[in-house]
Amino acid sequence: MKKIRKVLCTITAAALMAVTFTACSNSSSSGDGEKKGEIKFGTNAEFPPFEYVVAKGVIGEFDGIDMAIAKQIADDNDKEAKIENMEFDSLLVALDNGKIDAAIAGMTVTDERKEKVDFSDTYYNAKQVMIVKEDSDIAKASDMKDKKIVVIQGYTGETCVKELGYSYQSFKKGTEAILEIVNGKCDVVVIDSATADKYVKDNKGLKIVEDNDQFANEEYAIAVKKGNKELLDQINKTLKKMKDDGKIAELATKYLDAEDK
Ligand code: GLN
């Protein structure tokens, strides 16, 4: 009897070990192998084609040009890319208090922001444009003077309209702003060019009006906490590679044409 129990015990132990081993090997063989830590990227996933939420994106449910860049930066450093989705206005604070390591959000480099964070090399050129109804008589920035203007809170578009001295209404999300113009509740939305292209492509009856005398060229970069040179160098290395081999241009075309925003 004793002997049988001993044998049973041995078998049970062996079976348990096998299960444990299988479980371990399963978890380590999933994905693309063991990563040495993670990079926490903050974004505001309301800015197609740079970042938006889908069922299955390049990083979890997040997709877009910036998300593909973030993944590449993490991959190049053998790290996992984690996305913290938050309001655009919160990104710089989140960097400062260490909630995120980098902010990647179609963020324009400005002198004001440069005082708070360090920026990577730039990776995309944009400018503010006006989204209007197809039959609108707005042809230049000064035509907005007595019109109902909508901007998105904290975006450079808000700063531009403020500088013009015109009154405006601000929304937290681009999609909310677009709904306003689609529903005829405002006359014009001032927003970044690539995002405007995407919205006009996806919504009927809208067009883009440019005013290059009024709206200056803007450049997007990734922000890190002041002094985080190690991460900044890693980011710049990947950006250089992706710019040199045409990958960023390729991503821009791909995501501008994507249907699933
Ligand atoms: N480029 C604009 C800015 O930096 C908008 C960025 C964004 O909404 N993600 O303010």
Side-chain angles (χ1 to χ4, degrees), residues 44 46-47 51 88 105-110 113 128 152 154-157 192 218 220:
N44 171 239
E46 296 282 349
F47 197 61
E51 40 267 329
F88 188 78
M107 190 181 280
T108 304
V109 179
T110 67
R113 290 173 183 162
Q128 297 304 307
I152 298 93
Y155 284 22
T156 37
D192 297 47
E218 297 187 16
Y220 294 170

Side-chain angles (χ1 to χ4, degrees), residues 21-165:
F21 182 74
T22 315
C24 288
S25 59
N26 263 350
S27 63
S28 64
S29 65
S30 70
D32 32 8
E34 285 295 322
K35 303 271 186 192
K36 295 190 218 96
E38 60 182 36
I39 303 178
K40 273 194 234 110
F41 289 95
T43 198
N44 171 239
E46 296 282 349
F47 197 61
F50 292 91
E51 40 267 329
Y52 50 96
V53 174
V54 289
K56 195 180 175 333
V58 66
I59 306 172
E61 76 263 41
F62 301 101
D63 213 359
I65 302 167
D66 283 346
M67 299 298 97
I69 294 174
K71 177 153 191 337
Q72 192 62 53
I73 293 167
D75 281 355
D76 287 350
N77 292 285
D78 206 15
K79 292 198 170 140
E80 199 87 49
K82 283 266 150 62
I83 299 298
E84 294 280 341
N85 191 15
M86 60 186 76
E87 279 175 16
F88 188 78
D89 269 353
S90 310
L91 287 167
L92 299 195
V93 182
L95 271 180
D96 198 47
N97 64 27
K99 192 168 186 265
I100 55 171
D101 303 308
I104 181 160
M107 190 181 280
T108 304
V109 179
T110 67
D111 288 340
E112 199 191 336
R113 290 173 183 162
K114 265 200 225 163
E115 282 174 19
K116 298 181 188 144
V117 291
D118 286 344
F119 277 107
S120 70
D121 296 336
T122 58
Y123 63 90
Y124 197 87
N125 284 325
K127 58 178 179 279
Q128 297 304 307
V129 297
M130 296 165 277
I131 302 180
V132 297
K133 288 264 191 180
E134 251 162 13
D135 59 358
S136 169
D137 56 2
I138 295 176
K140 53 186 184 312
S142 56
D143 294 336
M144 294 194 292
K145 195 170 190 296
D146 299 311
K147 304 280 188 187
K148 274 194 175 164
I149 308 173
V150 159
V151 300
I152 298 93
Q153 197 178 305
Y155 284 22
T156 37
E158 180 175 16
T159 320
C160 287
V161 175
K162 218 184 254 174
E163 277 168 6
L164 280 164

